[in-house]
Amino acid sequence: MSLPDDKVRLAHGAGGRAMRALIAGLFLDGADPELRRLGDGAVVRVGDLDLVITADSHVVKPIEFPGGDLGRLSICGVVNDLAMMGATEVLALTSSVILEEGFPIAALERLHASARAACLEACARIVTGDTKVMGRGELDGVVFSTTGLGLARRVVRDDGLRPGDLLLVTGTLGDHGLAVLAKRHGLGLQGDLRSDVAPLNGLIALAMAAGELHAMKDPTRGGLISALTEMAEKAQVGVVLSEPAIPLSPAVRAASELLGIDPLAVANEGKALIGVHPDDADRVLAALHAHPLGQRAAVIGRVTAEHPGALLLDTGFGVRRLIERDGDPMPRIC
Ligand code: MG
């Protein structure tokens, strides 16, 4: 695949079509078959065990925001990508920190304490890491890069949606993206806006015990629209969403209307999209509701054989197609 750009654009890191085109154009030719699947992580078989490995770098701006910070994000990001593959038992994490000269040590202490607290929540431990410092102006503050290794008793992929499946979401959408945006621009809206950043492995373990999950993905950069478009394209199925069923907090609803930003196109850091057989949906939904992070879980749509690769939104008054953009409308979101 030839690349239409000769310079990197912000959209190339924004989780949508531009990013996938860059990856496909640069990294997939001759790549390992597991990498070519472009999942949330990769399965490495060791003996009769399915280990899952995933890597993530975190560049969020600002580094502290309502509901979380860069330290918490750096743990939850990898724990959630492992969980999306079915690896709810986290075996080990690595943490690399790149710092700009002059970065306040007190802020670094806060980020580290927050990362440790998130590890406790996820029953995860950091077993090795690395620290580098770059000169003033050579980096914007701090970057955290994390690798995760987990064990999957049953591997789940993001390409497994089947016609007839029901689509569940584990809670409200848009919270992380809008909370970070409001804080970054000092919009004075952030009173009720809080990031949802949280480790999902405990919640997903309950869901996996309650039914057979056909497909799973966390709607991070690019939000629900990017994640579901990718799932629909990979499985060559259509997805019809019911707009009234999609859970949104009142604060997200108000802020997104005010700012003209679609809450379905911005990042979440503590939510999962799950495709299940309709016979299992009630049991899985009940399991999600039994966990503190799944209180607002809901069935939001169904999977069809028609319209392969397309995402349709039934508003209750009509049906329209949701088109994925180049990527998340906000850079530096996670
Ligand atoms: Mg993911």
Side-chain angles (χ1 to χ4, degrees), residues 110-122:
R110 288 198 302 276
L111 297 179
H112 181 59
S114 178
R116 287 182 63 146
C119 282
L120 281 176
E121 282 177 60

Side-chain angles (χ1 to χ4, degrees), residues 35-79:
L35 176 59
R36 295 181 65 84
R37 297 183 78 142
L38 294 177
D40 288 303
V43 178
V44 181
R45 193 142 180 97
V46 179
D48 55 359
L49 297 177
D50 283 323
L51 300 185
V52 177
I53 187 165
T54 191
D56 211 340
S57 298
H58 301 273
V59 297
V60 65
K61 186 178 185 174
I63 57 172
E64 293 171 300
F65 45 82
D69 59 26
L70 177 66
R72 181 171 177 80
L73 191 63
S74 72
I75 302 303
C76 298
V78 291
V79 167

Side-chain angles (χ1 to χ4, degrees), residues 39-41 54 56 77 80-82 84 158 216-221 227 269 271:
D40 288 303
T54 191
D56 211 340
N80 292 349
D81 275 341
L82 292 176
M84 294 307 105
D158 62 3
M216 202 157 31
K217 194 166 191 66
D218 53 344
T220 53
R221 285 170 299 175
E269 290 294 342
K271 298 293 156 34

Side-chain angles (χ1 to χ4, degrees), residues 89-101:
E89 288 174 61
V90 183
L91 300 176
L93 304 177
T94 76
S95 178
S96 296
V97 183
I98 309 174
L99 294 153
E100 181 188 10
E101 178 188 13

Side-chain angles (χ1 to χ4, degrees), residues 57-59 63 70 95-101 103 108 111 129-135 138-146:
S57 298
H58 301 273
V59 297
I63 57 172
L70 177 66
S95 178
S96 296
V97 183
I98 309 174
L99 294 153
E100 181 188 10
E101 178 188 13
F103 188 79
L108 190 57
L111 297 179
D130 180 51
T131 308
K132 295 282 192 311
V133 177
M134 296 178 73
E138 294 175 3
L139 178 80
D140 186 11
V142 58
V143 174
F144 273 43
S145 186
T146 318

